[in-house]
């Protein structure tokens, strides 16, 4: 097994997401059913899920899901993680034997805290510290890869069809208020589990259908802010862009999405002041963050999920609502199979984000 | 050393002019068209007679002859083959043996150094991502030149959206091409006017060059960048405020490290007024700015100009691409420049010593890549915009430059060619038959600014369309998705180090 796809691999895909606005947690069966229906949109070379609210017992700890090649790599990783974090608890991620899932890496999770004094030494915010360590492990520790690193959430992914991956990780045993999922159709064999979606950083998770044709500049833009693109995938770029714009630059979500998939100049020029000025600034300042090319993405985070299409909607995306539930998927059938009678179904417009947030005051 | 007397030249004419006697109707038009007085009418023979030695191959006569009776060919004398001493070397030695002087020339370097643009290929979409049809979908080229903050802050409670961050002034370009600095004096009044009108129509900018701005043009100020060079010709407060931006000219690609030279013949009454120097005197701008001997001094001038214009205009700095360009540009950004114009060694000039033009500086492709990389590594790329130039010949050069990291490109020679220039490299003589690099009213009257503006507008429109085609093929619909996206470029026939500096992969990878 090798750690990195050295080439940037284009891929097509299916995505689906379910959010309960009240924070009510449901098990994995619905999301599995939804993504499994869109089986033909993937080709067995990658499937994955992100689930939020699954570790209430450890909700104040960063949950590191780690893919490990062998015992030696495990030692290297554990040595590093113990040096930089306080590990509250670690365990094997439970898995089942499933036909069609081959050669999984060693899968383990570590619930960690940033130890006293670490931040003062580094002189940075806690989350930046975590980002730095995750990037260090992923670039420099051979045989170990942190596949998700948020609090009270986790990414589960691997090489296989998404429904098989779900069985493998026993996802019907987890309860989450937000699920996203992905079935992948890469154009060559990644052969590596880390390359599947979701791509995550802290509590950001991204599942993505499409290709970011502006990958080259988005990557160089992020590098300027200290991000390292180890995976050579455009999905990774999306996760980092959200981290940069929302967490670090503190842009409200609707502005961050306006930077990533901005309105056309002709529409901006027609806006009244002060909007015109604001959008002009967004485009001229965040040009390096503009994501161009065909994509539909679902971004999960602690507070909810965001669906976003490219500026001319070159990839499909449907959204629906029923009661406290919000659904988004590549195909309407992927929603109807789990919610036959939604109250509202709509096709989000190109470049306009569909934002589902937890209701205010929801206790997780 | 005594000054050499006038010697009969041993240098053979470069070109041969042939008049087809049977086609020629003796209208004598060619005799007045030639700015170099190479053609005369002989009453004795009732024929047009050419003085080959005066012909510069500017093609004015060829173009204007109603009967297509004129042919200009290379005077291709056989020289005993010698891979080291080419005929050019031999002729140059002869010229210097006759005059004892510096060889003067004009336009950009004409030696065959590798042109890296021609070793770079562009990507396109196939299957996994769709290309976009520029005829059906918007394809945006708009570009803002100037300093930008790293991030923005918004008023959290305001709906509609309200920006909190104060933005520095920026130039808005509808097409990522500006006209590079060419001074009034080196080029004619109608050239300036053509450039200005075209800039206005295309939503871009013309640059005054170092010779000031004619009063007539103050009303076009929204599309003018005014230059402030070492000679300070024509620089006064009103001038500084007469443009949309100010550019401090430190150097020029064709002649890094040396000043400008406008021969007295080109300093007409009008030029003298605009430059604020006596008519008929040589206008010599010193090699360095005598108030800029270091980067701190540059910073002082930048802020002096910002003060003089109340921080309402971007202040840029133009430099020639020299070996250490990345570090120099990093310093310029830190000195406060809102944009940097980098001029590669193939950039044009109205007059330059050949030894400098052909041997000093580095190619813009490498300079641009190195600068963009350096500014990104230092996290200051947002603080400035990069305009690059020096041998941009076609839209594909523009596209490749932007993909390497330029915000926009500047063109000089290409713009003059659009106006009729044949790159004969004789601008320094002031005799340009096309009315471009001359102040002779008989010649400048030939260039109609309206037609000139139309030709330039056509050129920029054509390049815009071509750029949009390529963006569409790349599957992106905004120029910012191309800018710095080196992933979409591949090199052919380039060595590994060059690829590394350009930051691109070889074709096949
Ligand atoms: S312009 Fe042509 S036709 Fe007229 S005199 Fe000259 S060569 Fe003859
Ligand atoms: S502008 Fe200069 S190079 Fe062009 S035709 Fe005139 S003299 Fe020749």
């Amino acid at each position: 097994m090798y750690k990195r796809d050295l080439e940037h691999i284009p891929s097509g895909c299916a995505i689906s997401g379910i959010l309960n606005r009240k924070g009510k947690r449901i098990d994995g069966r619905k999301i599995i059913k939804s993504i499994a229906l869109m089986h033909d949109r993937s080709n067995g070379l990658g499937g994955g899920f992100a689930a939020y609210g699954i570790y209430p017992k450890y909700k104040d700890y960063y949950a590191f899901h780690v893919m490990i090649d062998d015992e030696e790599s495990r030692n290297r990783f554990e040595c590093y993680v113990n040096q930089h974090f306080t590990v509250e608890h670690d365990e094997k991620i439970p898995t089942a034997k499933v036909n069609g899932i081959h050669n999984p890496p060693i899968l383990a999770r570590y619930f960690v805290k940033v130890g006293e004094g670490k931040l003062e030494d580094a002189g940075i915010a806690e989350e930046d510290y975590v980002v730095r360590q995750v990037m260090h492990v992923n670039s420099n520790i051979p045989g170990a890869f942190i596949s998700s690193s948020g609090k009270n959430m986790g990414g589960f992914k691997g090489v296989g069809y998404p429904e098989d991956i779900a069985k493998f990780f026993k996802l019907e045993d987890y309860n989450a208020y937000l699920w996203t999922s992905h079935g992948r159709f890469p154009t060559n064999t990644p052969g590596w589990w880390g390359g599947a979606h979701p791509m995550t950083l802290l509590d950001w998770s991204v599942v993505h259908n499409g290709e970011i044709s502006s990958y080259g500049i988005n990557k160089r833009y992020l590098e300027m802010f200290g991000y390292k693109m180890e995976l050579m995938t455009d999905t990774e770029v999306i996760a980092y862009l959200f981290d940069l714009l929302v967490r670090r630059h503190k842009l409200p979500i609707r502005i961050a999405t306006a930077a990533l998939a901005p309105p056309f100049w002709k529409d901006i020029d027609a806006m009244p002041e002060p909007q015109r000025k604001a959008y002009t600034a967004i485009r001229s300042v965040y040009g390096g963050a503009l994501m161009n090319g065909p994509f539909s993405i679902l971004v999960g985070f602690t507070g909810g999920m965001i669906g976003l299409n490219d500026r001319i909607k070159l990839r499909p995306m449907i959204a629906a609502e029923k009661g406290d539930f919000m659904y988004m998927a590549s195909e309407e059938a992927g929603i109807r199979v789990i919610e036959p009678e939604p109250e509202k179904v709509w096709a989000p417009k190109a470049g306009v984000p569909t934002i589902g947030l937890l209701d205010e005051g929801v206790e997780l | 050393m005594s000054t050499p007397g006038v010697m009969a030249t041993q240098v053979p004419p470069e070109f041969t002019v042939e008049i087809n006697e049977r086609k020629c109707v003796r209208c004598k038009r060619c005799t007045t068209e030639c700015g170099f007085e190479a053609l005369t009418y002989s009453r004795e023979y009732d024929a047009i007679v050419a003085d080959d030695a005066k012909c510069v191959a500017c093609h004015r006569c060829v173009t204007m002859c109603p009967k297509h009776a004129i042919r200009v060919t290379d005077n291709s004398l056989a020289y005993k083959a010698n891979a080291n001493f080419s005929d050019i070397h031999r002729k140059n030695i002869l010229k210097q043996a006759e005059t004892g002087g510096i060889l003067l020339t004009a336009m950009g370097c004409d030696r065959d150094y590798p042109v890296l643009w021609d070793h770079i290929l562009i990507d396109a979409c196939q299957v996994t991502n769709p290309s976009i049809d520029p005829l059906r979908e918007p394809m945006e080229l708009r570009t803002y030149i100037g300093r930008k903050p790293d991030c923005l802050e918004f008023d959290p409670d305001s709906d509609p959206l309200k920006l909190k961050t104060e933005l520095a002034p920026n130039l808005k370009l509808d097409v990522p091409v500006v006209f590079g600095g060419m001074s009034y004096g080196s080029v004619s009044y109608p050239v300036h006017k053509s450039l200005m009108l075209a800039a206005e129509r295309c939503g871009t900018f013309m640059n005054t060059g170092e010779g000031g701005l004619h009063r007539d043009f103050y009303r076009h100020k929204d599309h003018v960048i005014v230059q402030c060079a070492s000679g300070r010709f024509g620089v006064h407060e009103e001038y500084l405020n007469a443009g949309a931006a100010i550019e401090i000219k430190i150097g020029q690609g064709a002649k890094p490290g040396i000043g400008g030279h406008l021969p007295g013949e080109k300093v007409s009454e009008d030029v003298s007024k605009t430059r604020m120097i006596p008519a008929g005197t040589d206008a010599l701008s010193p090699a360095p700015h005598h108030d800029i001997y270091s980067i701190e001094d540059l910073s002082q001038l930048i802020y002096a100009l910002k003060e003089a214009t109340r921080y309402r205009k971007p202040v840029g700095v133009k430099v020639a691409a020299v070996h250490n360009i990345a570090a120099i540009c990093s310093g310029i950004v830190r000195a406060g420049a809102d944009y940097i114009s980098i001029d590669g060694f193939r950039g044009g000039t109205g007059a330059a010593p050949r030894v400098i033009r052909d041997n000093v500086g580095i190619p813009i492709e490498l300079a641009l890549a190195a600068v963009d990389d350096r500014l990104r590594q230092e996290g200051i790329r947002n603080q400035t915009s990069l305009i690059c130039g020096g041998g941009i010949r076609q839209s594909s050069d523009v596209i490749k430059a932007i993909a390497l990291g330029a915000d926009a490109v500047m063109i000089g020679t290409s713009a003059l060619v659009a106006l009729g220039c044949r790159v004969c490299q004789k601008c320094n003589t002031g005799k340009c038959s096309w009315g471009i690099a001359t102040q002779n009213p008989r010649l400048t009257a030939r260039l109609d600014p309206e037609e000139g503006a139309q030709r330039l507008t056509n050129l920029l429109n054509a390049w815009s369309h071509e750029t949009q085609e390529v963006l569409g093929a790349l599957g992106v619909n905004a120029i910012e998705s191309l800018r710095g996206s080196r992933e979409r470029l591949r090199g052919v026939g380039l060595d590994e180090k060059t690829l590394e500096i350009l930051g691109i992969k070889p074709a096949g990878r």
Side-chain angles (χ1 to χ4, degrees), chain B residues 93-350:
Chain B
I93 292 174
L94 286 175
K95 283 183 200 162
Q96 294 194 293
E98 288 163 13
T99 64
I102 289 173
L103 293 173
L104 273 186
T105 184
M107 302 312 268
C109 171
D110 60 5
R111 308 284 81 208
D112 66 349
Y113 293 100
V115 178
L116 300 185
W117 301 131
D118 298 340
H119 292 268
I120 297 176
L121 293 170
I122 305 166
D123 192 19
C125 296
Q126 295 289 293
V127 186
T128 55
N129 49 354
S131 43
I132 305 172
D133 185 346
L135 296 176
R136 293 194 174 82
E137 306 282 351
M139 214 32 93
E140 304 183 309
L141 301 183
R142 189 186 295 182
T143 301
Y144 283 88
I145 297 293
R147 171 177 300 266
K148 293 165 191 77
D150 281 342
C151 60
L152 293 173
E153 220 187 312
F154 291 86
D155 196 336
D157 312 314
S158 161
D159 194 29
L161 202 54
K162 208 165 150 220
L163 191 61
K164 261 172 103 182
T165 315
E166 275 291 333
L167 288 182
N170 270 231
L171 299 180
K172 177 182 144 212
L173 271 56
D174 289 333
V175 38
V177 180
V178 298
F179 299 121
M182 291 180 284
S183 72
Y184 176 44
S186 81
V187 296
S188 61
Y189 180 96
V191 170
H192 257 208
K193 185 156 185 190
S194 304
L195 290 168
M196 221 160 285
L197 293 176
E200 213 164 63
R201 286 171 202 174
C202 298
T204 182
F205 294 82
M206 70 83 74
N207 185 312
T208 59
E210 63 166 312
L213 180 66
H214 196 286
R215 287 266 163 202
D216 293 359
F217 300 142
Y218 276 41
R219 62 199 153 92
H220 298 287
K221 62 195 197 117
D222 292 347
H223 293 275
V224 173
I225 297 171
V226 295
Q227 215 177 55
C228 169
S230 60
R232 299 287 194 275
F233 297 125
V235 176
H236 44 85
E237 197 194 338
E238 205 188 342
Y239 165 77
L240 292 175
N241 281 291
I246 302 173
E247 181 172 285
I248 299 169
K249 179 192 173 188
I250 297 293
Q252 178 180 348
K255 43 181 176 181
I258 66 168
H261 178 199
L262 185 69
E265 303 89 79
K266 288 176 97 171
V267 183
S268 65
E269 199 53 49
D270 247 5
V271 170
S272 106
K273 267 194 215 142
T274 305
R275 291 208 175 206
M276 309 190 301
I277 55 166
T281 57
D282 285 10
L284 300 169
S285 47
H289 288 246
H290 283 307
D291 53 359
I292 303 180
Y293 281 17
S294 69
I295 195 85
E296 312 87 86
D297 295 345
L298 173 66
S299 188
Q300 280 202 12
L301 180 59
I302 290 174
Y303 283 97
L305 293 174
K306 288 189 178 187
E307 289 285 341
T309 52
R310 309 199 187 299
Y311 293 86
R312 280 198 287 253
K313 297 167 196 296
V315 174
V317 173
K318 176 172 177 177
V319 277
V322 290
H323 300 183
N324 208 9
I325 188 68
I328 293 169
C329 286
S330 159
I332 293 175
V333 177
R334 293 173 198 285
D338 298 317
Y339 76 89
I340 306 177
S341 297
I342 312 171
D343 197 11
F345 87 126
R346 269 183 252 106
T349 174

Side-chain angles (χ1 to χ4, degrees), chain A residues 220 265 269 283 292 311, chain B residues 140 142 372 477 480-481:
Chain A
R220 295 186 76 216
W265 284 118
D269 292 344
R283 276 199 74 170
N292 220 317
R311 314 163 77 207
Chain B
E140 304 183 309
R142 189 186 295 182
D372 181 61
N477 52 15
E480 50 262 54
S481 298

